[in-house]
Amino acid sequence: MSIRRSILIFIVSLLSASTFADNFLQEPIQLLVPATDLDQRKVILGDRLFHETKLSGDNTISCASCHSLATGGVDRLPFAKGIKGQVGNINTPTVFNSGKNFVQFWNGRAQNLEEQAAGPVHNPGEMGSNWLDVITKLEKDSAYLKQFKEIYNSGPTGEAIVDAIATFERSLVTLNSPFDQYLKGDKDAISPKAKKGYQHFKSLGCAACHQGQGVGGNLFQIFGVAKSLKDSKIKNPNDLGRYLHTNNEFDRYLFKVPMLRNVAVTAPYFHSGQVQTLEGAIRVMAEFQLGRQISDEEVEDIAAFLRSLTGEYKGERLK
């Protein structure tokens, strides 16, 4: 076992100690709040661009093809599909609450939503296009020309396109989950089972990585802290985490910790997309991140808590 992994196990064990949890992690999860000061003109334009197939090389897919707002902001496939039926090699993260992430993509290679939005457009395995072709197509649409000129004082540009899409994505905050109602003082907003699950979540050490407004999304962590993924089907052989971005050996299997907001509606799980159920994902995390075998009752309790994190979009609970 590497020195780094040993240190990480030690830290997680400290975070799971009951005294630490009682003193410092009583409420590690914060109330989810909407983004403020968004230009609503950009939100409207970004919404249209997010659903615009002209951003792809063959006019067949849009951002929403992989990040459907009707299915938890994901495609619910192990790997995303690009133009011409191409299949990617990593699971699609949700777009909901993505503005709360401290970096974007599983390996954190994009610093913000603007960088992230530009990536798929130029990736030959995803949307397979480029700004020149996209702009040429958008300029033929008088409604687009009017919107861009009113907002950006110019026609469509790559910078303006990603700015509008990123602004729209920052508006996709799923408020009013049962757990948020609980945080605001309604103690009956979640079930007794979910309350037990939240206590397990804290005492086991899950909140060491999954905390804040997004219940994650604000730090990197090794996947396989307590137990190596070497012989596990959960491992994605095509994705070595930040190592592929930095070429630093210490970054092998280092990933951005995913947010757990709406996790109950975003299966399959992990970067490999190989775990189909929420309960299965909980067992994986207990075994590989915490080095624990937890009971079926604990799994069910934690799952009930995680389901209480499902919020609303346009007044409707995600499903």
Side-chain angles (χ1 to χ4, degrees), residues 91-124:
N91 184 249
T92 300
T94 181
V95 71
F96 281 119
N97 306 308
S98 56
K100 305 293 184 181
N101 284 316
F102 83 121
V103 291
Q104 303 297 325
F105 293 117
W106 281 93
N107 61 15
R109 65 184 183 275
Q111 292 299 305
N112 51 48
L113 285 171
E114 287 80 3
E115 285 188 24
Q116 187 280 326
V121 173
H122 296 85
N123 188 324

Side-chain angles (χ1 to χ4, degrees), residues 79-315:
F79 301 132
K81 290 184 178 180
I83 61 172
K84 302 176 182 178
Q86 297 177 89
V87 178
N89 59 13
I90 195 164
N91 184 249
T92 300
T94 181
V95 71
F96 281 119
N97 306 308
S98 56
K100 305 293 184 181
N101 284 316
F102 83 121
V103 291
Q104 303 297 325
F105 293 117
W106 281 93
N107 61 15
R109 65 184 183 275
Q111 292 299 305
N112 51 48
L113 285 171
E114 287 80 3
E115 285 188 24
Q116 187 280 326
V121 173
H122 296 85
N123 188 324
E126 295 183 53
M127 302 179 88
S129 191
N130 58 77
W131 288 138
L132 178 60
D133 288 348
V134 170
I135 291 167
T136 298
K137 287 184 281 188
L138 295 182
E139 285 179 334
K140 296 177 181 178
D141 187 313
S142 60
Y144 271 130
L145 286 176
K146 181 181 179 181
Q147 284 180 289
F148 277 101
K149 287 180 179 179
E150 288 178 348
I151 299 170
Y152 298 101
N153 297 315
S154 70
T157 65
E159 182 178 358
I161 291 168
V162 297
D163 180 68
I165 292 175
T167 302
F168 168 65
E169 290 177 336
R170 289 189 177 96
S171 77
L172 298 175
V173 181
T174 54
L175 304 174
N176 204 36
S177 71
F179 192 79
D180 281 327
Q181 296 172 35
Y182 174 76
L183 288 178
K184 287 190 287 187
D186 182 356
K187 300 308 178 185
D188 295 323
I190 63 175
S191 68
K193 199 168 187 63
K195 292 175 185 176
K196 286 176 59 181
Y198 182 41
Q199 294 306 312
H200 294 323
F201 188 84
K202 291 188 288 186
S203 64
L204 288 169
C206 308
C209 294
H210 294 285
Q211 20 59 21
Q213 284 193 50
V215 199
N218 52 12
L219 56 90
F220 291 114
Q221 179 58 285
I222 294 289
F223 191 17
V225 171
K227 181 178 179 180
S228 173
L229 296 171
K230 181 179 179 181
D231 299 318
S232 171
K233 70 174 184 178
I234 304 157
K235 177 181 176 181
N236 184 342
N238 298 309
D239 192 354
L240 304 179
R242 279 189 64 74
Y243 174 80
L244 296 179
H245 178 58
T246 66
N247 205 34
N248 185 331
E249 189 61 35
F250 284 112
D251 289 338
R252 191 179 290 271
Y253 300 121
L254 186 71
F255 294 91
K256 178 190 70 181
V257 174
M259 292 185 292
L260 297 184
R261 292 281 180 177
N262 310 308
V263 68
V265 297
T266 60
Y269 298 108
F270 306 116
H271 67 300
S272 60
Q274 296 303 302
V275 178
Q276 298 295 323
T277 68
L278 186 59
E279 290 78 6
I282 293 167
R283 289 187 174 91
V284 166
M285 293 302 290
E287 179 180 359
F288 289 91
Q289 297 304 102
L290 302 175
R292 295 171 179 261
Q293 296 290 331
I294 60 178
S295 69
D296 289 345
E297 183 178 0
E298 288 174 310
V299 170
E300 292 170 3
D301 291 343
I302 293 172
F305 156 63
L306 293 177
R307 290 189 176 96
S308 78
L309 295 171
T310 304
E312 297 177 356
Y313 177 59
K314 293 186 176 180

